[in-house]
């Protein structure tokens, strides 16, 4: 096995604690790598006016693979107020480093698997037709377009000049908003490009083929968002017909999908969606398998081979400064497994996943979220495993 260099980005809050747990498990599972830690997040915004310093971008460009913990983001004005006094008044505007990272490297494929673990007390249950309790097995992989849509950042408040003129050229804008003064208008545009839409659709279909899922569900809103969702649906139908005829294409509206989430989650396999709907639907499915402590993700650019692997949770600032970290590292460890899959180290990934499965099923080591406790520094005295204790238990189960 050639030794890889992995860029590690602990970020803020609980990012470092979960990342360290992930690195310990990787090491114990026999993954050989050099790690280079780099800077991202709030501290660097405050100190340098840039939460994603160029040195971090350069390292990722060079080594291609990064493991990322979590960052703290705050609204524009709150961010400006926390800048180092020497940097204030210079017109620096905060924007999320993770969104910037995705756009900079074109990490347009975001993959978020949601698989339920046997024995996880947080698994979704529902009442069956006979009145009994059912625990449907969720095995869903969401492919979220990661760089466009409503997260494109093409937005205006008080649109003026050519922008306003262009808006007024649209008959619907003119009719419904034309008489409202522009200073009372804000616009966020939802942009879908054909190349990026094609890439996310192909990633979803190819995954379904490789892992023998029978269907791909496009989860959008083509009946209302005719141009963007409508284009995506048309492209999905073409692709299915021409390239993936053995896979069924299902089409659901995102609002209805959220309702069906609890009705029949076991019926879904691969789901593909634009940026915001993909974000929403993946959080919805994550809720069925245990929530943020279990929600992992990969974001990558299939052409450059650059990939960033991270739990979907944030920096959970309220738990950040506990002397013993209490948060669940499984989402991070699963994200590390996605990294291993990406760099063709599937054997090590499988070994780690087997250990996680056993630990959860045995039920002796459970973090506070799995015990349905209210998070506090005391939970470890009340029987909850700490972040490190969970990592230790997974390490002990590595065959
Ligand atoms: P969050 O994900 O940080 O935390 C929400 C709640 O989820 C926590 O209070 C905790 O109860 C639970 N939780 C999160 N991770 C957990 C874990 N590993 N184990 C057990 N429980 C866990 O989201 P929140 O509070 O909305 O945002 C906090 C900060 O994180 C904000 O500044 C936000 O902008 C940022 N954020 C960053 C993300 C990223 O780095 N990709 C994603 C989401 C939020
Ligand atoms: Mg999210």
């Amino acid at each position: 096995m050639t030794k890889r260099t992995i860029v590690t980005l602990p970020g803020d809050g609980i990012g470092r604690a979960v990342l360290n747990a992930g690195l310990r498990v990787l090491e114990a599972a026999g993954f050989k790598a050099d790690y280079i830690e780099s800077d991202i997040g709030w501290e660097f915004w405050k100190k340098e006016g840039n939460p994603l310093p160029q040195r971090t971008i350069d390292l990722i460009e060079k080594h291609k693979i990064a493991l990322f913990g979590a960052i703290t983001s705050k609204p524009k004005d709150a961010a400006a107020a926390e800048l180092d006094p020497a940097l204030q008044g210079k017109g620096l505007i905060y924007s999320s480093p993770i969104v910037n990272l995705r756009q900079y490297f074109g990490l347009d494929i975001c993959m978020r698997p949601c698989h339920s673990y046997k024995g996880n007390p947080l698994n979704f249950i529902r009442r069956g037709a006979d009145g009994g309790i059912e625990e449907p097995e969720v095995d869903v992989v969401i492919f979220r377009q990661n760089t466009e849509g409503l997260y494109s950042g093409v937005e205006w408040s008080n649109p003026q000049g050519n922008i306003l003129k262009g808006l007024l050229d649209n008959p619907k804008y003119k009719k419904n908003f034309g008489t409202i003064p522009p200073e009372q208008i804000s616009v966020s545009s939802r942009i879908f490009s054909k190349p990026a839409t094609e890439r996310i659709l192909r990633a979803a279909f190819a995954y379904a083929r490789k892992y023998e899922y029978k269907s791909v569900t496009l989860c959008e809103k083509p009946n209302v968002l005719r141009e963007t969702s409508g284009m995506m649906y048309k492209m999905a139908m073409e692709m299915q017909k021409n390239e993936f005829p053995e896979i069924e294409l299902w089409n659901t509206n995102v609002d209805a999908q959220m309702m069906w989430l609890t009705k029949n989650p076991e019926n879904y396999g691969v789901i593909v969606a634009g940026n915001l709907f993909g974000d929403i639907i993946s959080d919805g499915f994550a809720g069925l398998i245990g929530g943020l402590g279990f929600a992992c993700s990969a974001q990558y650019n299939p052409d450059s081979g650059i990939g960033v692997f991270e739990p979907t949770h944030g920096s959970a600032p309220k738990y950040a400064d506990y002397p013993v970290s209490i948060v669940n590292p499984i989402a991070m460890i699963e994200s590390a497994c996605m990294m291993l899959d990406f760099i063709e180290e599937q054997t090590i990934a499988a070994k780690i996943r087997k250990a996680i499965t056993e630990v959860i099923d045995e039920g002796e080591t459970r973090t506070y979220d799995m015990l349905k406790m209210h998070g506090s520094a005391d939970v470890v005295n009340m029987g909850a495993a700490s972040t490190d204790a969970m990592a230790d238990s997974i390490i002990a189960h590595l065959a």
Side-chain angles (χ1 to χ4, degrees):
M1 178 166 95
T2 50
K3 203 168 176 193
R4 301 284 309 218
T5 300
I6 310 286
V7 179
T8 58
L9 306 166
D12 302 306
I14 62 167
R16 185 174 292 279
V18 292
L19 180 63
N20 284 346
L23 296 180
R24 286 208 294 123
V25 173
L26 283 171
E27 161 98 53
F31 177 59
K32 299 266 177 286
D34 290 321
Y35 296 100
I36 304 183
E37 182 173 313
S38 198
D39 303 330
I40 194 167
W42 201 246
E43 200 187 314
F44 303 97
W45 162 252
K46 289 199 300 189
K47 277 199 315 220
E48 302 175 22
N50 183 1
L52 179 61
Q54 185 62 39
R55 56 187 179 276
T56 299
I57 290 179
D58 293 343
L59 277 174
I60 298 173
E61 183 116 55
K62 178 162 178 214
H63 300 293
K64 294 200 170 351
I65 303 293
L67 272 176
F68 172 51
I71 46 116
T72 296
S73 268
K74 296 188 188 177
K76 215 165 73 177
D77 295 346
E82 286 192 36
L83 264 182
D84 185 291
L87 294 169
Q88 299 222 358
K90 295 195 166 167
L92 293 169
I93 296 177
Y94 178 81
S95 70
S96 161
I98 185 68
V99 174
N100 291 345
L101 202 58
R102 288 169 190 159
Q103 285 173 351
Y104 184 89
F105 288 114
L107 306 176
D108 61 349
I109 312 291
C110 174
M111 215 180 126
R112 292 183 169 180
C114 294
H115 304 296
S116 41
Y117 284 102
K118 190 162 159 278
N120 185 350
L122 301 178
N123 282 344
F124 167 69
I125 52 169
R126 69 175 172 225
R127 199 168 292 288
D130 61 358
I133 298 294
E134 296 175 346
E135 189 173 314
E137 190 186 337
V138 178
D139 176 19
V140 164
V141 183
I142 292 111
F143 283 82
R144 163 192 179 193
Q145 205 296 324
N146 213 27
T147 48
E148 302 191 335
L150 271 169
Y151 293 55
S152 311
V154 183
E155 310 185 287
W156 304 273
S157 285
N158 189 8
Q160 293 293 323
N162 285 340
I163 306 293
L164 183 61
K165 192 169 161 297
L167 289 168
L168 285 164
D169 276 347
N170 180 298
K172 285 205 172 129
Y173 187 92
K174 191 165 185 206
K175 178 163 175 275
N176 297 321
F177 304 102
T179 59
I180 302 172
E183 66 269 20
Q184 291 182 33
I185 295 281
S186 290
V187 181
S188 300
S189 43
R190 189 175 201 258
I191 305 176
F192 281 33
S193 75
K194 276 194 175 165
T197 305
E198 189 170 322
R199 280 154 70 93
I200 193 70
L201 288 170
R202 181 159 291 111
F205 275 115
Y207 187 90
R209 172 173 284 166
K210 185 165 175 193
Y211 293 99
E212 300 182 352
Y213 285 87
K214 71 170 186 183
S215 66
V216 167
T217 302
L218 176 71
C219 180
E220 277 285 321
K221 188 86 183 173
N223 54 334
V224 178
L225 302 171
R226 291 170 197 278
E227 302 303 329
T228 46
S229 300
M231 178 184 89
M232 193 170 188
Y233 184 41
K234 234 165 55 196
M235 290 173 68
M237 285 195 294
E238 291 265 297
M239 193 178 284
Q240 186 271 340
K241 197 173 94 199
N242 297 331
E243 295 176 49
F244 299 93
E246 82 280 15
I247 296 166
E248 292 172 28
L249 173 65
W250 298 356
N251 173 35
T252 60
N253 283 340
V254 60
D255 47 344
Q257 179 76 67
M258 290 311 285
M259 182 185 62
W260 290 326
L261 206 65
T262 50
K263 211 170 158 226
N264 58 347
E266 68 272 42
N267 290 3
Y268 297 94
V270 175
I271 297 185
V272 60
N275 206 337
L276 178 62
F277 295 164
D279 201 8
I280 294 172
I281 204 77
S282 57
D283 276 14
F285 274 101
L288 304 179
I289 58 133
L292 289 171
F294 294 87
C296 55
S297 81
Q299 29 194 357
Y300 59 90
N301 178 322
D303 296 338
S304 67
I306 293 179
V308 177
F309 303 83
E310 56 156 328
T312 61
H313 62 72
S315 60
K318 63 183 176 188
Y319 305 144
D321 299 321
Y322 287 1
V324 175
S325 173
I326 64 161
V327 292
N328 189 344
I330 290 177
M332 181 79 235
I333 298 168
E334 279 277 0
S335 304
C337 289
M338 296 186 80
M339 174 194 79
L340 293 172
D341 286 342
F342 190 75
I343 58 175
E344 307 288 336
E345 295 285 358
Q346 284 95 343
T347 314
I348 302 177
K351 190 156 110 178
I352 298 174
R353 289 192 176 109
K354 183 167 168 280
I356 298 174
T357 305
E358 287 172 9
V359 168
I360 295 175
D361 197 21
E362 284 174 16
E364 275 162 34
T365 309
R366 287 176 171 170
T367 43
Y368 83 97
D369 52 324
M370 298 174 77
L371 294 169
K372 306 186 190 200
M373 287 178 175
H374 190 74
S376 79
D378 283 338
V379 295
V380 281
N381 302 321
M382 294 154 59
S386 65
T387 307
D388 279 334
M390 177 55 91
D392 290 340
S393 185
I394 292 168
I395 289 168
H397 282 76
L398 292 166

